[in-house]
Amino acid sequence: QHYFIQSNLSCSEMDENPFADPKDVNPFMDPSVTQVQSSQPTVSAGIDDPFAPSLAEPATVPVAPVISQPPPEQPPVAAPGGGYNNAAAGYGASAPGYGASGGSGYGSSFNSQPPRQYGNEENQQKQKLVEDEFRKREEDLERRERQLRDEQKRLEDARVYGDRVPNFPPIPKFFPCTPCVYHNIDFDIPPEHQTTVRRAFYHWQFTVGCYVMNFIVCFGMICALGTKAGSMFGLSIVFTGLFIPLSFLTWYRMLYNAVRQDSSMRYMLFFFCYGFQILVSGIAFLGINKGGFMGIISSTSTLEDNKALGVMGILCALLWLADTLIAVYLIMQIHKTYRSTGQSMEKASGEFAASAGSNRNFGQAVLRSL
């Protein structure tokens, strides 16, 4: 106890400032300060817990009352059926308030909708772009696959049909007849001349249609007029059965081989035979009486006996006129192609002499004819 008192005295002495002025007044010894200090409750020296709560109550600060505000109104969302979905916007269906039961609070319909997630829309757009890109790649792969398939078929045709197996006209397998010639424009004809050859092929088909139409009208004439139209019907049978295969073999097939083999001689033979076809189409358009063709002249004379057959004859005459005009247009286009490929009469005569010399029978026939 003596040591404790002595240590307290020494600590009190150490608290004094040895350099202080003895006449200086301590501001903390002012009566107003000491009065306030004396009013504070004293804490026992035995309690030295820095984490203990303070015994003095803090001064209360006045806080303004919090007034709950309703959430801002949201515009109604258009429903898939065309109306407005009030539940998605947060409004009840039975009261002007927000609650589903008509109260002023927030209803379950407002809280049932999840918050709008903008990240999902961005992900959907990215997914859509990826799907579009994948679809484009898939279409490109399909296009390339078709090209490879066509090329493979072309090579297979070249290997299988190297001996040029006939495939035209396309006759069913159960038919007793078989195709006569090999016909494949895509395989035989160069790409720059395929359009010209196809037009000539379409014109040949149109010419076949004219012959068939002419035969039908002449058949109707013999059915309606009897033996009076016998010569027309008989000649129409001859022209239809003879000129259809001859037109294919003489001028269309000649053009096909001329373009495929780049032969001046075949070009010249084509021009000769095609000119004859133009002449026949022109005569058919005129339609001489009892000449086997239903043209303008024969149709007008048939109108007196049967108006229906006369009208059909005029239609047939118009078909022959169209056939003639198409043939004139095509021969001009083919002549331009003939000139652009560097063909000439000299080449044609040289090819003719070479083919005649190589064919012993042909050469002997020409010598006998001379």
Side-chain angles (χ1 to χ4, degrees), residues 112-130:
S112 62
Q113 297 295 331
R116 189 174 182 181
Q117 299 179 0
Y118 295 94
N120 292 339
E121 294 183 358
E122 185 177 355
N123 294 335
Q124 292 177 0
Q125 292 179 357
K126 291 181 179 179
Q127 184 177 2
K128 186 177 180 181
L129 292 176
V130 172

Side-chain angles (χ1 to χ4, degrees), residues 124-184:
Q124 292 177 0
Q125 292 179 357
K126 291 181 179 179
Q127 184 177 2
K128 186 177 180 181
L129 292 176
V130 172
E131 291 178 356
D132 294 340
E133 185 68 21
F134 178 76
R135 190 179 301 108
K136 290 180 180 178
R137 291 183 179 180
E138 186 176 4
E139 292 176 356
D140 187 39
L141 289 176
E142 291 178 355
R143 180 179 57 83
R144 293 183 179 179
E145 184 179 359
R146 287 194 300 269
Q147 291 178 354
L148 291 175
R149 193 182 305 114
D150 295 341
E151 186 67 21
Q152 184 178 3
K153 185 177 181 301
R154 181 185 179 92
L155 296 176
E156 186 68 18
D157 291 342
R159 184 182 64 83
V160 176
Y161 300 119
D163 53 350
R164 307 188 64 79
V165 176
N167 61 351
F168 189 86
I171 300 175
K173 294 182 179 180
F174 61 86
F175 228 67
C177 301
T178 57
C180 302
V181 296
Y182 177 78
H183 182 264
N184 191 345

Side-chain angles (χ1 to χ4, degrees), residues 45-96:
I47 300 174
D48 192 11
D49 188 4
F51 301 100
S54 176
L55 296 177
E57 295 182 359
T60 60
V61 180
V63 180
V66 179
I67 301 175
S68 62
Q69 296 291 336
E73 296 182 359
Q74 299 181 0
V77 180
Y84 294 95
N85 189 2
N86 292 331
Y91 299 100
S94 61

